[in-house]
């Protein structure tokens, strides 16, 4: 393979994943015309069409999809191998890309990242906030964050938080007006403030259990948000009952602006974990990230 081939294939992956010459050009810092020229040159050299273009979209052809399936893990492996070379440097260095939800990014990851970049000026960290569950290998992230449980094949995980609990909550004003639900079933008679994590996702189902009894409640209400702080604000102003991680609302429970309900129906479960490909932990910079984030009892 010529050096030019590798560069062209990398550009093809960027365009195919973005499904847009405009978005790929912005990401790569190149012009749209330059990207179009590269794709035409690559298709001519291979003798096959890789992208189907319309005025509104760019999608891989069947051949392009097969090539993409081969290239994405191969390029990810090259990135990992290059990162591994930093092990031989005197000072830890390299770039680490992490995907995380908004709450974890601000409350857990950022304090650790701040310490790392202050101590190791040659370590660069890119933190992308995304509430959707994504394929971190396909999207070329080094690590992702998820709530405890099994991780994908060829991945490992480390705990980065203590156990968690969910909490249902409302303002004292709402409680005075509508009363306190005594069981999850009674939520049907209350105003609920819902969370939708991504535009194409359904409303988050509220999960409760006590002993062997488990309930998954799909609540209804006038308000639906995709950000936790808006759920909290709506609950504080008396618009209904919200349901989020207890740690996210703890300050408001402590100062009395929110009241926890159905407390006995919300047991603890495994907390947040950082998950990543097995080979990724060979990087010196990545090992520093793991050591800094790892939760210790």
């Amino acid at each position: 393979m010529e050096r030019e081939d590798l560069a062209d294939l990398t550009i093809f992956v960027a365009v195919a994943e973005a499904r847009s010459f405009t978005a790929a050009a912005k990401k790569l810092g190149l012009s749209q015309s330059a990207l179009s020229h590269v794709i035409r040159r690559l298709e001519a050299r291979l003798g096959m069409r890789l992208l189907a273009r319309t005025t509104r979209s760019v999608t891989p052809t069947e051949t392009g999809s097969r090539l993409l399936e081969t290239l994405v893990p191969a390029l990810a492996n090259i990135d990992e191998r290059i990162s591994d070379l930093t092990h031989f440097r005197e000072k830890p260095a390299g770039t680490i890309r992490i995907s995380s939800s908004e709450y974890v990014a601000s409350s857990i990851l950022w304090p650790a990242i701040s310490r790392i970049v202050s101590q190791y000026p040659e370590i660069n960290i890119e933190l992308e906030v995304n509430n959707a569950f994504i394929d971190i290998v396909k999207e070329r992230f080094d690590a992702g964050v998820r709530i405890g449980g099994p991780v994908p094949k060829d991945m490992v995980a480390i705990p980065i938080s203590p156990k968690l609990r969910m909490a249902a909550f409302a303002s004292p004003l709402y409680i005075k007006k509508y009363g306190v639900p005594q069981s999850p079933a009674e939520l049907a008679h209350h105003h609920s403030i819902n969370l939708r994590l991504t535009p194409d996702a359904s409303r988050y189902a509220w999960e409760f259990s006590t002993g062997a009894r488990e309930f998954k409640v799909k609540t209804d209400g006038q308000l639906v948000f995709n950000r936790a702080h808006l759920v909290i604000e709506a609950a504080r102003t008396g618009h209904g009952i919200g349901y989020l991680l207890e740690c996210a609302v703890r300050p408001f429970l402590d100062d009395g602006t929110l009241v926890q309900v159905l407390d006995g129906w919300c047991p603890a479960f495994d907390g947040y974990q950082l998950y990543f490909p097995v080979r990724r932990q060979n990087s010196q910079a990545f090992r520093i990230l793991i050591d800094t984030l790892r939760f210790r009892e």
Side-chain angles (χ1 to χ4, degrees):
M1 178 186 293
E2 299 292 334
R3 183 180 303 174
E4 184 180 54
D5 292 333
L6 182 59
D8 289 358
L9 290 170
T10 301
I11 288 175
F12 162 71
V13 169
V15 175
E17 289 186 334
R19 303 293 178 101
S20 164
F21 279 96
T22 302
K26 183 178 180 180
K27 179 179 180 180
L28 297 173
L30 300 171
S31 68
Q32 293 182 50
S33 60
L35 265 59
S36 296
H37 174 73
V38 167
I39 298 300
R40 288 195 300 269
R41 181 177 64 194
L42 180 61
E43 290 177 328
R45 191 158 63 248
L46 296 178
M48 58 187 74
R49 194 174 185 188
L50 301 176
L51 296 173
R53 308 164 180 81
T54 69
T55 55
R56 294 186 177 182
S57 66
V58 177
T59 56
T61 62
E62 182 178 355
T63 303
S65 295
R66 292 186 178 185
L67 179 60
L68 192 63
E69 290 175 359
T70 300
L71 288 175
V72 168
L75 291 174
N77 186 54
I78 290 172
D79 284 344
E80 289 178 11
R81 295 299 183 183
I82 291 174
S83 295
D84 289 346
L85 295 178
T86 61
H87 175 73
F88 298 99
R89 299 176 57 140
E90 290 184 4
K91 296 181 180 179
T95 297
I96 302 171
R97 299 187 69 232
I98 309 170
S99 175
S100 166
S101 66
E102 185 174 15
Y103 174 74
V104 182
S106 60
S107 64
I108 298 176
L109 296 183
W110 169 241
I113 290 171
S114 178
R115 294 196 300 272
I116 291 171
V117 296
S118 297
Q119 187 173 355
Y120 302 99
E122 295 187 48
I123 294 180
N124 303 313
I125 297 179
E126 297 180 15
L127 178 57
E128 181 169 310
V129 172
N130 192 332
N131 287 323
F133 180 73
I134 65 170
D135 184 333
I136 62 170
V137 174
K138 180 179 178 181
E139 300 296 330
R140 302 180 76 177
F141 285 97
D142 297 299
V145 177
R146 63 190 297 167
I147 289 178
V151 295
K153 183 180 178 182
D154 299 326
M155 296 275 179
V156 293
I158 63 161
I160 60 173
S161 82
K163 285 183 176 292
L164 301 172
R165 292 179 73 226
M166 299 302 294
F169 51 88
S171 70
L173 177 65
Y174 179 90
I175 295 297
K176 183 178 180 180
K177 187 174 182 179
Y178 296 100
V180 178
Q182 299 301 314
S183 72
E186 292 187 16
L187 289 171
H189 306 296
H190 283 266
H191 302 286
S192 300
I193 305 165
N194 285 284
L195 186 68
R196 194 192 307 273
L197 296 176
T198 60
D200 57 347
S202 60
R203 296 181 182 185
Y204 178 72
W206 298 10
E207 300 176 79
F208 301 94
S209 66
T210 178
R213 301 172 64 192
E214 295 185 0
F215 292 87
K216 185 173 284 190
V217 181
K218 285 198 172 183
T219 56
D220 195 14
Q222 289 180 282
L223 298 172
V224 181
F225 300 107
N226 71 338
R227 290 291 186 269
H229 73 274
L230 294 174
V231 175
I232 293 171
E233 187 58 29
R236 291 178 68 199
T237 48
H239 290 286
I241 298 175
Y243 182 80
L244 296 170
L245 285 170
E246 184 185 58
C247 53
V249 296
R250 174 49 58 192
F252 306 100
L253 297 174
D254 289 343
D255 69 16
T257 56
L258 289 175
V259 177
Q260 192 164 355
V261 300
L262 299 173
D263 186 26
W265 293 84
C266 299
F269 52 88
D270 289 338
Y272 288 112
Q273 55 186 7
L274 186 80
Y275 71 103
F276 46 89
V278 175
R279 290 175 296 179
R280 192 65 189 88
Q281 58 190 322
N282 293 330
S283 160
Q284 188 179 11
F286 199 79
R287 288 200 303 274
I288 290 170
L289 177 73
I290 291 174
D291 290 342
T292 306
L293 281 172
R294 187 187 299 274
F295 175 75
R296 298 170 176 83
E297 296 287 352

